[in-house]
Amino acid sequence: TDFNYNKQNEKIKKTYDISNWVIFQSYFNRQLISKYFGSHNNSIIIHNGADLEIIEDTPPFVPDTCKNMWSCASSWRPHKRLNENIRFFLEHSTKEDVLMIAGEVPPNQQVVHDNINYLGELSQQELYSLYKGSKYFIHLAWLDHCPNVVVDARACGCKIICSSAGGTKEI
């Protein structure tokens, strides 16, 4: 509310208005855009997809010492809610479970726990391997539209734990 929303999005709105068709990533995405830009006469929802051939050819990462591997991955910003992911894991896991966190997390923001591992930035294939070895993927982000990490984790067979706010629940 402290900035001029209309001015900031003027070029995007103009493009939206003159477009013949608009593709939305999720129903949530369409509702949000329609609320601020108005309904578009021609639109379709196409959720993000995953590369199933590469996923199929990627071996799973399986650590030696855990019953179940949980994972989460992101470019960690406040609305991605890493601390909530960690808290959920600590409240719902067993002492034999581990949480693997992909994406850069500064050392001063890391929760130190024997069952939590910080992996840093991973390649796409390393992420697929992580997801294929994981039983659960946690994504408690606030108002994500259609996050690729969740699409990929689901395609790799993870059970998804997500918030009900945003488009992630549609995946």
Side-chain angles (χ1 to χ4, degrees):
T1 59
D2 292 340
F3 62 89
N4 185 338
Y5 168 82
N6 290 322
K7 181 69 175 163
Q8 183 183 14
N9 291 288
E10 187 174 33
K11 291 179 183 177
I12 297 170
K13 171 80 165 89
K14 182 178 178 182
T15 301
Y16 178 82
D17 289 340
I18 65 171
S19 296
N20 292 328
W21 276 88
V22 176
I23 300 171
F24 295 104
Q25 291 180 304
S26 61
Y27 291 98
F28 166 77
N29 184 236
R30 179 165 60 189
Q31 286 179 310
L32 181 70
I33 298 301
S34 296
K35 177 179 176 180
Y36 292 100
F37 288 176
S39 295
H40 198 283
N41 290 335
N42 300 306
S43 68
I44 190 168
I45 296 166
I46 302 175
H47 292 100
N48 293 343
D51 191 328
L52 298 178
E53 289 180 21
I54 293 176
I55 289 171
E56 179 69 29
D57 292 339
T58 302
F61 171 71
V62 183
D64 299 332
T65 59
C66 77
K67 179 179 176 183
N68 291 311
M69 188 165 67
W70 301 47
S71 61
C72 59
S74 188
S75 295
W76 296 108
R77 301 180 300 279
H79 72 282
K80 298 296 183 172
R81 302 175 61 197
L82 175 59
N83 287 334
E84 284 75 9
N85 288 358
I86 292 170
R87 189 181 77 232
F88 185 92
F89 169 76
L90 292 174
E91 289 176 7
H92 299 280
S93 63
T94 69
K95 61 184 176 190
E96 295 91 20
D97 296 347
V98 297
L99 174 61
M100 307 298 259
I101 300 171
E104 287 301 322
V105 180
N108 65 338
Q109 294 178 19
Q110 295 180 4
V111 173
V112 177
H113 191 281
D114 289 343
N115 295 41
I116 298 174
N117 298 290
Y118 296 88
L119 305 173
E121 294 294 325
L122 299 179
S123 69
Q124 189 62 56
Q125 193 146 11
E126 290 170 325
L127 287 169
Y128 291 153
S129 182
L130 174 66
Y131 304 154
K132 286 182 78 171
S134 298
K135 181 172 183 176
Y136 302 106
F137 185 83
I138 310 171
H139 192 79
L140 298 177
W142 177 250
L143 300 180
D144 237 340
H145 293 251
C146 188
N148 289 319
V149 292
V150 176
V151 172
D152 290 341
R154 180 147 190 236
C156 289
C158 292
K159 294 178 182 178
I160 306 299
I161 299 164
C162 67
S163 77
S164 60
T168 307
K169 65 185 176 196
E170 296 175 36
I171 300 169

